[in-house]
Amino acid sequence: MSDDGQRDVPSDRPWHAVPVSELLRRSHVDRTVGLDGEEVTRRRERYGPNTLPVAGGQGVLRRAARQFHHPLVYVLVAAGAVTAVLEELVDAAVILAVVLLNAIIGFTQESKAEAALAGLRSMARTDARVRRDGREQRIPSEDIVPGDVVLLAAGDKVPADLRLLELTELRTDESALTGESLPVLKDPTELPVTTAPADRRNMAYSGTLVTGGTATGVAVATGAGTELGQIHRLVSAAEVLATPLTRQLAKVSKILMIVILVLAAVTFAVGLARGQDAVDTFTAAVALAVGAIPEGLPAAVTITLAVGVTRMARRRAIIRRLPAIETLGSTTVICSDKTGTLTENQMTVRRVWTPVGGYTVTGAGYAPDGALHDETGSPVTRADDHALRWTLTAGALCNDARLRRVDDRWVLVGDPTEGAMRVTPGKAGIDLDHVDREHQRLATIPFSSERQYMATLHRDPAGGGTITMLKGSVEKVLALAEHQMGSDGSIHPVDRVAFHTTAERLAAEGLRVLATAVDLRQDPGTFDEQNLSGLVVTGLQAMLDPPRPAAAPAVAACRTAGITVKMITGDHATTAVAIATQLGLLDADDDRPRRVLTGTDLDALPAAEFTTAADDSTVFARVSPEQKLRLITALQHHGHVVAVTGDGVNDAPALRQADIGIAMARTGTDVAKEAADMILTDDDFATIEAAVEQGRGVFDNLTKFIVWTLPTNLGQGLLILSAILVGADLPLLPTQILWINMTTAVLLGLTLAFEPQEPGIMRRPPRDPARPIITGALTIRILLVATLLVAGSWWMFQWEQDRGASLAEARTAALNLFVVVSAAYLVACRSLTRPVRRLGLLTNPWVPLGIAAQAAGQLAITYLPTANAVFDTAPLTPEAWLRIAALAALAAAVVALDNRLRRHRLTAGSGRTRGNRDSRNPRPTPP
C-alpha cells in the first residue's frame, strides 16, 4: 500500500478492474472475519486516520501584512504619513482608517479556501459498520483503514472508497460527487480498466449516500486517497484569481504612484534649482503629492460595490466577496452545472402514454402543482380513461417513495423516479391518499437489476380479492404482458410495436421511460416471480429532471448580452443534450459531434486542441471534477472571464478556480457554498441574469467615479507644479487640498454609486477584460477637465490678488472654484453616453442632496472663524461668488460640448460597424 491511504495495485489493474478473489488476496483480508485488532493498529499507524488533511496555512500576522501589499495601499499609507508629518492628524487618521478597513475586508475573505476544505472534512465524517475479528462493530469513520470490510445499508453515508464484494439492490446517490441525477444501481462485477469513475458500478465512493439496498465492501482508499480526497487536492491547488476590477485598479494604482512620485520629485528639484527655501519647496512637493493622491478611491470602490451587493440581496443573491459583483458584469462565459442549477433536481413525469393516446404533464418537481393535457390540449380533470387511471395508480402504488412537506418545500424520501410517479395522479384529479387507504399492500417483489421490474400485491376494495401492480422497463413489462387495456377497461391483444415505437421516441428526447401493468385476477397464494404472467399492460410514463421554468429565458438573455452559456455535467450525454436543447443551448442545426463532448472525448484530445474544443463546444457530459477544472482553466487562458455555477462537491474545485463561482443555497452542499463567491438563495439560474446586469451597472458607476475624481487630483497636482515653475505662491495649501479631496469624494463622488443602470445595459457585449478602465476618450476628458480646473483656479487666484484681495481670500476663491466646478462636472458624469437632460433630476436623488451638503460645507469653511483659522481661508465677497459661478458655467458648457462630440463620434462608429457585429450585441461598449 502507498502512504496516501490507497493500496498499491498494478498500474493496469485498478480496483474496479480486479475480480473479488484478487481484491481479497491483495487486501490480505477474509471477507467473513475482517481485520484483527493488531492489523488495524498497524495499518492505522501506516496510513493515518481516514480524514482529509488540513492544509498548513500562513500565520495570522503574515496574512494580515499581505493585505497591505498593493500599490494603491502604498500611496494611501504615504498620504497618511505625509498628513501626519504636517500635523493634520484628523486627516491622517481618516486616510489610515480607509487603509485599515480595506485590510480587514481582505483579511476576512482570505480564508475562503480553508473554509471550503473544512466543509469537505465535515462532509466525510460519519459512523461506519465494519466486520473485525469476526464480528460486526460500529466505529467512527475516521478509524476505517484500507482493507476493512465495511457493511452498508439504506441511509448510510459511505465512509471510504469501497470495492463492493456482494450486494442486494444497492443504490447510491452520487449527484454531489459526479453530477449523476439518478441514484446509481451497483453491481459487484469487475469492469474494464478504462471505465470512468462515474460509471464504476462496483465502487461506492466516500461521502455518497446509500438510498436503498445493502452491501458489503472492502475499503480500498481512505482519507486523501479517496475520490473525495482528490477533489480536496483540487480545491487546495485552485488559484484565487484577481478580478477584472482588481487587475485594472492595480494598473491604475501603479501608474498613479509613479506619476505622483515623479511630479513630486520634479516639483522639489525645480524649487531648489530656483533657489527657493528648501522647507517651502518640500511643503509644495507634499501638497502636490497629497493633491494627486485619490484618497477617496478605495472608499468609493468599497461603497459602490456594497451598494451593488445590497441591490443584489434584494434580488435573491448573496455576494460573499465584494469584487465578485463587478466580475459578473465582465463575464464572457457562464459554465453551468446541469443537475440542480439549470434543472430542478427533482424527477418529474412529463409524458404519459396509453394505447388510447398521449398526455402531456405540466408542473415541475415534487410539488402537487400542474395538470395532464390530452392530445387536443384539454386538461384532464378526472381520469375516466381506465388505461390512464391504472397507469397512474400502478405507478404510484407499486412504489416505496414518500413525499412530505417541510416549510414551503416538498421533500422526497426514497428514489427520485418513484417520487415523480407519486406526484402525477394528483394532477389528473386522483385522490392518492384515498387510493392508498383502499388498496392496502399485501406483498412486494422488490426491484432488481436482473428482474428490471417491481411488483406489489394489493387488496381489491371492490371485489374483496387482490390486484397485482407492476412497473419496470418497457422490454420486461411487455415480456410479461399478453394484453393491453382500453379506455373503457376492456382487454385487447398487446400492440408491442406501438409500445416499443413510442418508448424509443420518448427515450430519444432524453426521457426515462417505464411501463406499468396490472392483473385484476390474481390470487394472493400465487404471487411470486414464476406466476407473474398474462398481465395487462396499461401504459407508459416518461420522466426527467426538468429545466427550471426561468432557465431558458435567462439563457436567451445571457446570449443577447453577448455571454456564452456552456453546460458541464457528470450526467449522461443523452440527458444533457435533451436539457440543452430545451434551454436553447443547442438547436437542430448544431453540429452535435463538435458541440457536445464527453469526458472520454476530452481525454482523447491532444493538449494543443483542448483549449479550442473548450471554447467551441457547448455541452460537456460525463465530466470528472479534474476535467471540469481543466475546462475552466482552458477558457481563462483563452481570454475569457468565466463564471461557474454548481451545487455539488464535484463543483467545488471549479467554483474556486473560476473568476466568479456561483453556488446554490437550497440544494448546494456546504463545500460548494464555501468555495463560491456568490450564492443564489432561490437556486434560480435566472438570478444570474440580474447579477450580470447589476455587475455591469457597478462597473459603470465605478468608471464614472474615477472619471470624475481624477481631474480634481490631477488639476491640484498641476496647479502646485505650475506655481513652483513660475515661482509664485501656492494657490492651494495642503490642508485645503485635503479638504477638497475628502469632502468632495464623500459628499459628491459617492453619490454616483447610487446611479441606476443605463438603458440597454444588457444589450452591450461584455467588456473586454484587457480593456483599461480609462480609455483614450476618457483620458482626453480627464485632461480637458483638469486643464479647465488649473486655468480657472490660476485666473481666479490671480484676479483676486490683482483686485487687492489677501492671499487667504485668493486661496479661498481658488478652493471654492475647484469645488463648484467639481459639482458641475459631477452632473455631467452621471452618464458617460447620454446627455444630462435625459437623465432626470430625481432618478438619483443623492446627487442634489450631496451637492447641497457640499455647498453647506463650503459656506462653513469660507465664513466660520474656526474654519478660517484651521484651513487658512477667508470670507469672500458676493462678486467673487459670481465670478466662481461664471467660470463653473463655462467649464460645464465645455464638458457638455465634449460630450456631444463624443456621442456623435460613437454613433458614427457604430453605424460603420453595425453590419460586422453579431446581431445579439447591437450596442458597442461605451468608452
Side-chain angles (χ1 to χ4, degrees):
M1 296 186 184
S2 62
D3 292 335
D4 64 353
Q6 176 76 47
R7 289 184 61 88
D8 294 326
V9 294
S11 60
D12 60 340
R13 296 296 298 277
W15 289 114
H16 65 274
V18 300
V20 169
S21 58
E22 184 177 345
L23 165 71
L24 295 172
R25 179 176 59 83
R26 292 186 179 279
S27 299
H28 304 288
V29 65
D30 185 327
R31 66 196 301 173
T32 61
V33 178
L35 300 175
D36 60 38
E38 291 183 1
E39 182 63 19
V40 168
T41 301
R42 282 194 295 269
R43 297 190 185 193
R44 185 181 298 122
E45 290 175 352
R46 181 176 181 183
Y47 305 116
N50 178 32
T51 56
L52 297 176
V54 179
Q58 295 178 329
V60 173
L61 292 178
R62 185 172 179 181
R63 288 168 54 199
R66 191 169 58 249
Q67 307 307 316
F68 299 92
H69 183 57
H70 190 283
L72 185 58
V73 176
Y74 300 157
V75 174
L76 287 172
V77 170
V82 168
T83 52
V85 170
L86 294 174
E87 298 184 355
E88 299 296 335
L89 300 182
V90 174
D91 295 312
V94 171
I95 296 171
L96 294 177
V98 171
V99 174
L100 290 175
L101 175 63
N102 283 278
I104 291 170
I105 293 173
F107 182 82
T108 302
Q109 298 299 327
E110 185 79 15
S111 303
K112 184 170 64 171
E114 288 78 2
L117 298 180
L120 275 168
R121 292 190 292 271
S122 173
M123 177 184 178
R125 295 192 186 105
T126 184
D127 287 336
R129 291 187 303 130
V130 298
R131 187 176 292 137
R132 290 178 177 174
D133 294 317
R135 59 188 179 87
E136 181 180 320
Q137 303 177 33
R138 181 170 289 277
I139 63 173
S141 64
E142 54 262 35
D143 291 341
I144 296 285
V145 297
D148 258 324
V149 177
V150 180
L151 310 177
L152 298 176
D156 288 345
K157 186 176 286 187
V158 180
D161 282 1
L162 308 180
R163 171 65 163 85
L164 299 172
L165 300 174
E166 56 189 9
L167 53 84
T168 302
E169 306 306 324
L170 182 71
R171 295 185 298 276
T172 61
D173 180 0
E174 299 180 354
S175 60
L177 191 65
T178 67
E180 180 78 55
S181 57
L182 293 172
V184 179
L185 185 64
K186 296 297 182 177
D187 186 333
T189 307
E190 63 191 270
L191 295 168
V193 172
T194 57
T195 306
D199 295 320
R200 294 173 186 171
R201 298 296 191 253
N202 58 10
M203 298 289 295
Y205 292 116
S206 176
T208 60
L209 183 67
V210 178
T211 61
T214 60
T216 302
V218 173
V220 295
T222 59
T226 63
E227 289 294 316
L228 192 63
Q230 175 62 18
I231 295 177
H232 174 277
R233 288 195 293 271
L234 291 174
V235 175
S236 301
E239 179 184 359
V240 182
L241 299 179
T243 69
L245 175 65
T246 57
R247 288 193 292 265
Q248 294 289 352
L249 286 178
K251 291 180 181 179
V252 171
S253 300
K254 289 179 181 178
I255 294 172
L256 283 175
M257 183 175 64
I258 294 171
V259 170
I260 290 168
L261 293 177
V262 169
L263 288 179
V266 169
T267 299
F268 188 66
V270 169
L272 292 179
R274 294 179 60 88
Q276 297 178 6
D277 181 75
V279 174
D280 292 340
T281 303
F282 179 75
T283 301
V286 167
L288 185 147
V290 171
I293 294 172
E295 292 93 342
L297 181 57
V301 171
T302 300
I303 292 174
T304 302
L305 293 174
V307 170
V309 168
T310 302
R311 289 176 175 175
M312 278 310 305
R314 299 192 192 108
R315 303 181 79 164
R316 301 174 297 280
I318 299 172
I319 304 299
R320 300 184 66 243
R321 193 162 60 97
L322 282 180
I325 185 68
E326 179 276 330
T327 307
L328 269 171
S330 305
T331 297
T332 59
V333 175
I334 297 175
C335 294
S336 177
D337 182 36
K338 176 185 72 68
T339 305
T341 305
L342 291 169
T343 67
E344 297 278 4
N345 198 21
Q346 296 181 345
M347 291 294 288
T348 304
V349 174
R350 303 306 293 266
R351 306 281 184 81
V352 178
W353 183 87
T354 72
V356 179
Y359 301 86
T360 301
V361 185
T362 62
Y366 303 131
D369 303 321
L372 266 70
H373 296 268
D374 60 23
E375 293 175 340
T376 67
S378 302
V380 177
T381 55
R382 292 181 57 196
D384 295 328
D385 180 335
H386 283 244
L388 174 62
R389 188 174 187 88
W390 279 113
T391 297
L392 300 181
T393 301
L397 297 189
C398 184
N399 192 314
D400 289 328
R402 290 296 178 266
L403 295 167
R404 56 190 177 88
R405 187 170 188 130
V406 178
D407 298 327
D408 61 340
R409 300 175 58 206
W410 287 87
V411 178
L412 169 69
V413 179
D415 184 86
T417 299
E418 292 191 326
M421 300 178 84
R422 289 284 298 177
V423 175
T424 313
K427 299 179 180 181
I430 297 175
D431 185 347
L432 190 57
D433 290 336
H434 176 71
V435 173
D436 276 334
R437 289 192 299 270
E438 285 197 333
H439 296 80
Q440 178 186 356
R441 186 188 295 191
L442 304 174
T444 301
I445 300 175
F447 178 87
S448 73
S449 55
E450 292 80 15
R451 284 190 289 268
Q452 295 185 32
Y453 69 80
M454 174 182 179
T456 52
L457 183 68
H458 300 264
R459 190 179 305 281
D460 183 356
T466 59
I467 301 173
T468 297
M469 301 184 191
L470 183 143
K471 76 172 189 304
S473 70
V474 176
E475 294 79 6
K476 192 63 177 181
V477 173
L478 289 178
L480 296 173
E482 296 179 0
H483 302 91
Q484 66 185 36
M485 184 176 290
S487 61
D488 58 355
S490 58
I491 305 301
H492 308 276
V494 63
D495 185 348
R496 301 181 190 278
V497 173
F499 270 90
H500 280 298
T501 301
T502 303
E504 290 171 0
R505 174 173 55 81
L506 294 171
E509 298 176 16
L511 299 169
R512 185 184 186 193
V513 184
L514 295 179
T516 54
V518 297
D519 187 345
L520 307 180
R521 305 169 291 103
Q522 192 65 270
D523 183 283
T526 60
F527 182 73
D528 54 40
E529 292 184 61
Q530 290 69 34
N531 290 291
L532 281 177
S533 61
L535 300 175
V536 179
V537 61
T538 61
L540 306 174
Q541 293 193 54
M543 64 205 72
L544 85 167
D545 178 15
R548 293 180 177 275
V555 168
C558 287
R559 295 180 69 175
T560 299
I563 301 170
T564 301
V565 180
K566 298 178 183 290
M567 178 191 293
I568 303 179
T569 178
D571 212 342
H572 294 279
T574 302
T575 306
V577 168
I579 296 298
T581 303
Q582 294 181 51
L583 292 173
L585 295 176
L586 297 173
D587 55 48
D589 297 328
D590 280 328
D591 179 4
R592 292 294 171 84
R594 182 177 64 85
R595 298 290 301 278
V596 181
L597 295 176
T598 65
T600 303
D601 297 330
L602 293 174
D603 284 338
L605 284 174
E609 298 178 15
F610 192 91
T611 300
T612 301
D615 201 35
D616 291 345
S617 301
T618 301
V619 175
F620 302 88
R622 304 306 277 172
V623 172
S624 68
E626 295 92 338
Q627 291 170 329
K628 186 170 185 178
L629 186 61
R630 190 180 173 198
L631 285 169
I632 303 307
T633 304
L635 290 168
Q636 289 170 332
H637 287 168
H638 210 267
H640 289 293
V641 176
V642 183
V644 174
T645 72
D647 58 0
V649 176
N650 59 318
D651 298 316
L655 290 171
R656 175 76 172 158
Q657 174 67 33
D659 294 279
I660 176 167
I662 306 169
M664 308 295 139
R666 292 183 178 178
T667 59
T669 61
D670 288 342
V671 179
K673 295 174 189 175
E674 293 295 341
D677 303 289
M678 183 173 83
I679 299 173
L680 306 183
T681 60
D682 57 359
D683 288 15
D684 196 339
F685 183 87
T687 304
I688 299 174
E689 176 198 350
V692 170
E693 179 182 359
Q694 188 64 51
R696 291 185 175 188
V698 164
F699 192 87
D700 280 357
N701 290 347
L702 283 174
T703 303
K704 293 170 187 176
F705 177 85
I706 293 172
V707 171
W708 172 82
T709 193
L710 288 186
T712 301
N713 298 114
L714 180 60
Q716 290 168 348
L718 293 177
L719 187 65
I720 301 301
L721 179 60
S722 61
I724 295 296
L725 291 176
V726 300
D729 292 325
L730 295 180
L732 292 173
L733 295 175
T735 53
Q736 295 170 345
I737 290 173
L738 280 172
W739 167 269
I740 295 173
N741 288 355
M742 299 307 295
T743 60
T744 58
V746 173
L747 299 178
L748 299 181
L750 289 183
T751 63
L752 294 173
F754 300 92
E755 280 295 320
Q757 283 83 32
E758 300 270 356
I761 196 171
M762 288 299 287
R763 293 196 295 274
R764 301 178 190 166
R767 188 181 59 84
D768 184 354
R771 189 183 189 199
I773 296 178
I774 307 302
T775 62
L778 294 180
T779 300
I780 294 173
R781 161 79 78 85
I782 291 169
L783 292 174
L784 172 65
V785 177
T787 301
L788 292 173
L789 283 169
V790 173
S793 298
W794 259 118
W795 183 88
M796 195 72 194
F797 180 70
Q798 293 297 334
W799 177 277
E800 294 301 318
Q801 283 191 312
D802 291 344
R803 295 298 179 273
S806 65
L807 182 60
E809 291 173 330
R811 285 172 172 163
T812 305
L815 181 154
N816 279 291
L817 178 67
F818 251 90
V819 172
V820 174
V821 172
S822 295
Y825 181 47
L826 175 75
V827 176
C829 286
R830 290 187 58 199
S831 175
L832 301 178
T833 58
R834 296 195 300 154
V836 175
R837 65 179 183 276
R838 294 186 182 178
L839 299 180
L841 182 63
L842 297 181
T843 53
N844 182 2
W846 291 103
V847 169
L849 288 175
I851 292 175
Q854 185 69 55
Q858 292 310 117
L859 291 175
I861 197 175
T862 302
Y863 293 106
L864 290 180
T866 302
N868 295 155
V870 172
F871 293 98
D872 292 317
T873 55
L876 296 180
T877 64
E879 292 78 9
W881 284 111
L882 289 176
R883 288 188 287 273
I884 291 171
L887 288 174
L890 177 61
V894 173
V895 171
L897 178 61
D898 175 67
N899 267 344
R900 185 171 182 178
L901 293 175
R902 284 194 311 106
R903 287 195 303 272
H904 176 73
R905 290 193 298 268
L906 183 63
T907 303
S910 175
R912 286 192 300 269
T913 60
R914 185 176 295 113
N916 298 324
R917 288 200 313 269
D918 190 323
S919 61
R920 293 174 301 179
N921 303 327
R923 290 177 181 242
T925 302

